[in-house]
Every structure is written in structure tokens, then in C-alpha cells.
Amino acid sequence: MNRSNYFDTIEEKLNILAVRITSRGRLNLLNLNLHSENFYYHFMNLLFGWDTKNANPLSGNAEAIDLIDHSNKLIIQ
């Protein structure tokens, strides 16, 4: 039973985060976008064993590229 509760809680929090990122992005408040990119590149690296990096310092907020992994030739938006 706990698995269902954990899933529901995580799913709810991720949906709230997605809505907040979208609404704040329309106001050009992008701090949650940056925090999310940093969270996800660490998460993807742990989950898949990749070596992704945040692409913003490399290319100055390149359009449609958020995370990049040169060794595995991956680009993630």
C-alpha cells in the first residue's frame, strides 16, 4: 500500500512543479527551470550512468538543448 501512496505523492509534486515552471516561465522567472535542469542532469547520470552536463554554461542557453553528454553523444531537452 505504501508504494501507491509514494507514487501518488511524487506524481502530484512533479505535476505541481511542471505547472509552476510553465506559469513562471511565461513571466520570465526562470530560476525553477535552472534548478530543474541541474536536478535532472544529476538524476539521469545516476539512473542511466550517463555523463550529462547542463548545456547553459557551454552555449549560453542554446535553444532546445538543456543537457548534453559528449561521451555518449546525447542531447536532452
Side-chain angles (χ1 to χ4, degrees):
M1 287 293 182
N2 278 343
R3 180 181 293 177
S4 178
N5 291 338
Y6 291 147
F7 178 84
D8 290 344
T9 301
I10 292 168
E11 186 264 341
E12 177 186 5
K13 299 297 182 185
L14 287 174
N15 278 314
I16 291 169
L17 177 62
V19 169
R20 290 189 67 203
I21 287 172
T22 301
S23 62
R24 292 171 60 90
R26 290 181 184 138
L27 298 172
N28 205 28
L29 301 172
L30 304 175
N31 62 326
L32 288 180
N33 296 55
L34 297 175
H35 291 303
S36 293
E37 288 172 7
N38 289 330
F39 167 78
Y40 280 110
Y41 95 74
H42 288 295
F43 180 67
M44 297 290 188
N45 290 344
L46 288 172
L47 185 64
F48 298 114
W50 294 342
D51 187 28
T52 58
K53 302 273 187 270
N54 192 332
N56 288 334
L58 304 174
S59 60
N61 203 15
E63 188 174 320
I65 299 175
D66 293 322
L67 304 177
I68 190 164
D69 180 351
H70 293 289
S71 61
N72 292 309
K73 296 184 170 118
L74 295 170
I75 296 174
I76 301 169
Q77 180 184 19

